[in-house]
Amino acid sequence: MSIDFAHELNEAQLEAVTATEGPVLVIAGAGSGKTRTIVYRLAHLVQQGVDPAQILLLTFTRKAAQEMLARAEAILGRSLHGTSGGTFHSFAYATLRANAMDIGFEGGFTLMDRADSENICKSVKDDLKLGKGDRSYPKKATLMDVITKSRNKELTIDAVLEREAYHLNPYLDDFTEISDGYAKFKRQHALMDYDDLLFLLDELLEKNEPLRNQLQTRYKYIMVDEYQDTNLVQARIVRHLAGTKGNVMAVGDDAQSIYAFRGANVANILEFPKIFEGTKIVRLEKNYRSVQPILDLTNEILQGATARFDKNLYSDLKSDKLPQVIHPLSDQTQARLVVDQILKFQKKYLLHDIAVLFRAGYQSFSLEVALTRIGIDYQKFGGIRFHEAAHIKDVLSMIRLVLNPHDLLAWQRAMDHIKGVGPKTVAKIYAAMHTKDGKSEKYLTKMVGKHEALRELLVELDKLRSQPPKPGAVLESLLVYYQPILMEKYPDDYPKRQAGLEQLSQIAAGYSDMETFIGDLSLDGDPDDEKRKENAVVLSTVHSAKGLEWSAVIIIDLVEDRFPSRRAMQRAEDLEEERRLMYVACTRAKEHLTLLVPSSVFNRASGMSEPTLPSPFVTELPETVYDRLNESYGGGLEQRRKQVVSLPEPSTDTLMEEAAPSGPKVDPRKLGFCKHKIFGKGKIVAFIEPNKYRVNFPGFGLKVIIGDYLELL
């Protein structure tokens, strides 16, 4: 039975499906029906008389390959038995097993999983007598991470440490020694890890011409999904299998290459036409997901890319609403505005059809607290939930002990870093603290003398209980005390954890009493995140959101050092990847897209909010593709009219004067304390004629506010 695909595909998809001879590169824009195109091409090849056994489909997950083959079989109404469909690693495993003698494994080999690899790393480290007595020594998982990144990125270990884990540089020589020992151990014991599968296959195909010719003859039609995610060795394997003029189709989107940290190299897709002679390029630009105004914005994001395949996404889905760019006064008020947006969208969509996206996991902490406080359920993907982060639990346990010295669970957590003090010893110390007799006092004195860290903890808690119980001040003292503990307890990744503690400090600045602060942080929803919940707002890192979609998407913290991240601002190629990450984030939205650009962010070092620079990905956007809203000092949102000529923005004083409601003037003679709807309680520093005040708000710094907005205390 012949199937007419023309009715099932758009013009570009049909061109990709029917272009079966020679190299083909399909640039599949977001939401453009990439999988559908691959499925129909599989069906078309078989319908044209190609033997399924001559087709090789390489994907990044086994599930993706199985789904594509099953859908193609459903279209054809027959089996595709014989087609080789699977991951690069599964293909490499099967090929190496069949040719084990050619790679020096005469008796075969055993494939290890990640846990096996980590244990061997530890064994090698111990045999080399490295790290003895060093509690800060990198854990086996970190050793393995660095080794595998070095291989996948084909960089030296020192280059990996310099770029991604500078704090581990003192262990560079050890990493190199362990890496060499690990490789030697595997070879001696006929073992392979997942990286070996790819590199040994590459080596085998490079050196064994008869095998290479045999595989090229067998697999006359090769298709590779998500080509932008391939690393250097995977691209070489494709080249070996296809030759330079073979029937190879690569499908992907250079604008969605966001996994450089795993070794993905965007140059593979950008240079595909140079590597494979006579490449036909097909662009899938019709988007089936998003309304046109969202695509107009995402097309503009890509305009600033230095190296890209030109494409212009378009859609039949129309809307008269532009995406919104909201400028909150600070990252502290941002969480409240996001909650307001969610409540607005909730009138139209189920909660699980609303997503808040961010660059790094810690950036959602304030929002998690705000959502929990008003009872909106959420589910987080990527990064650790605020309440589950070990270092956050450490600090919160100490805060709980400031309020309640009888909290045994908090004592167990707070003493967790003290070597030689386990749960049973904690219970004894706890009993001694709360028993008024000579024996208990003697035991406590003995333990304090034996464990300096215990003495330091008790002194710190006594100091915190003696100072005013303001969450911001208590946390500031506590974080100074906790810093060396953080570095010792989490030596592998403490710089990353530090960002979460900064966010906790920012949350604390918004509270005036300890009980409310700790109460809000202790409330938690269902921790079961294994499967997607119904009717729960999705909070997700952009990396975890790739391939998904929601009716309404909100992206937060679009300022320099947060999105793009601070590290990405230092290297041009990293900044380009951040741009692609922004594109991926925006193209997740179907009907509504909201971008938030806080005007200031809290800085724990200064105890104030400091001005930000908006993300370059936002400042580059022409005003025609979005509506801009500014948070007013009264707490609402004011739409900024679009200007044909670019003029200097009015000062905040002018904006406040225009927006000020009529009402009684504040007595200018009173320069005590005042209260503001957004900034909370502040100290009046000066009066400015005719009706303004300069006020110092803790956590926000100095602000000039019109008197109508202030309540004098």
Side-chain angles (χ1 to χ4, degrees), residues 89-280:
H89 290 93
S90 64
F91 175 77
Y93 180 72
T95 307
L96 292 175
R97 292 289 292 184
N99 298 274
M101 292 193 57
D102 292 342
I103 52 173
F105 289 86
E106 288 77 8
F109 60 85
T110 301
L111 182 63
M112 304 182 295
D113 61 17
R114 171 69 187 222
D116 295 329
S117 296
E118 288 180 8
N119 289 334
I120 291 172
C121 267
K122 183 180 184 305
S123 176
V124 169
K125 181 203 79 169
D126 293 343
D127 288 346
L128 292 168
K129 297 183 170 46
L130 298 173
K132 271 194 161 185
D134 182 356
R135 293 184 68 190
S136 297
Y137 202 84
K139 298 181 179 66
K140 60 184 180 182
T142 303
L143 294 171
M144 197 63 230
D145 277 344
V146 171
I147 291 169
T148 195
K149 278 187 177 182
S150 170
R151 295 194 73 194
N152 278 293
K153 295 188 172 191
E154 300 187 31
L155 293 170
T156 59
I157 285 177
D158 61 330
V160 172
L161 293 183
E162 188 63 37
R163 290 184 183 190
E164 301 185 31
Y166 58 89
H167 60 290
L168 297 176
N169 259 327
Y171 299 105
L172 170 60
D173 291 342
D174 288 19
F175 271 109
T176 305
E177 230 181 311
I178 292 167
S179 177
D180 292 343
Y182 172 68
K184 188 176 178 183
F185 184 97
K186 287 185 296 179
R187 179 57 73 169
Q188 286 174 341
H189 296 85
L191 298 170
M192 276 193 209
D193 60 22
Y194 288 107
D195 298 333
D196 294 324
L197 292 175
L198 299 181
F199 284 97
L200 287 173
L201 177 61
D202 175 37
E203 188 181 324
L204 176 65
L205 295 177
E206 174 74 37
K207 294 178 178 177
N208 191 329
E209 187 178 354
L211 176 64
R212 190 170 69 243
N213 291 337
Q214 178 191 329
L215 291 174
Q216 287 180 5
T217 302
R218 178 180 172 185
Y219 298 117
K220 288 192 186 306
Y221 296 91
I222 299 170
M223 284 188 275
V224 189
D225 187 25
E226 303 283 17
Y227 200 76
Q228 77 280 351
D229 294 337
T230 55
N231 60 18
L232 292 170
V233 67
Q234 287 166 327
R236 289 198 298 272
I237 289 169
V238 173
R239 196 157 70 245
H240 291 319
L241 293 172
T244 56
K245 298 180 181 178
N247 300 327
V248 55
M249 172 187 271
V251 183
D253 183 1
D254 56 298
Q256 295 187 69
S257 180
I258 60 171
Y259 295 118
F261 66 94
R262 293 184 192 163
N265 195 318
V266 69
N268 288 344
I269 191 168
L270 291 173
E271 295 176 6
F272 187 93
K274 295 178 187 173
I275 295 166
F276 294 94
E277 299 171 25
T279 294
K280 179 183 181 67

Side-chain angles (χ1 to χ4, degrees), residues 96 130 207 257 266 284 316 336 401 429 456 462 526 528 555 603 610 617 641 667 686:
L96 292 175
L130 298 173
K207 294 178 178 177
S257 180
V266 69
L284 304 186
D316 291 339
R336 180 182 61 79
L401 291 175
I429 293 171
E456 290 173 353
D462 284 342
D526 180 5
D528 178 17
I555 307 172
N603 184 322
E610 298 182 346
F617 312 135
R641 287 191 297 274
D667 184 352

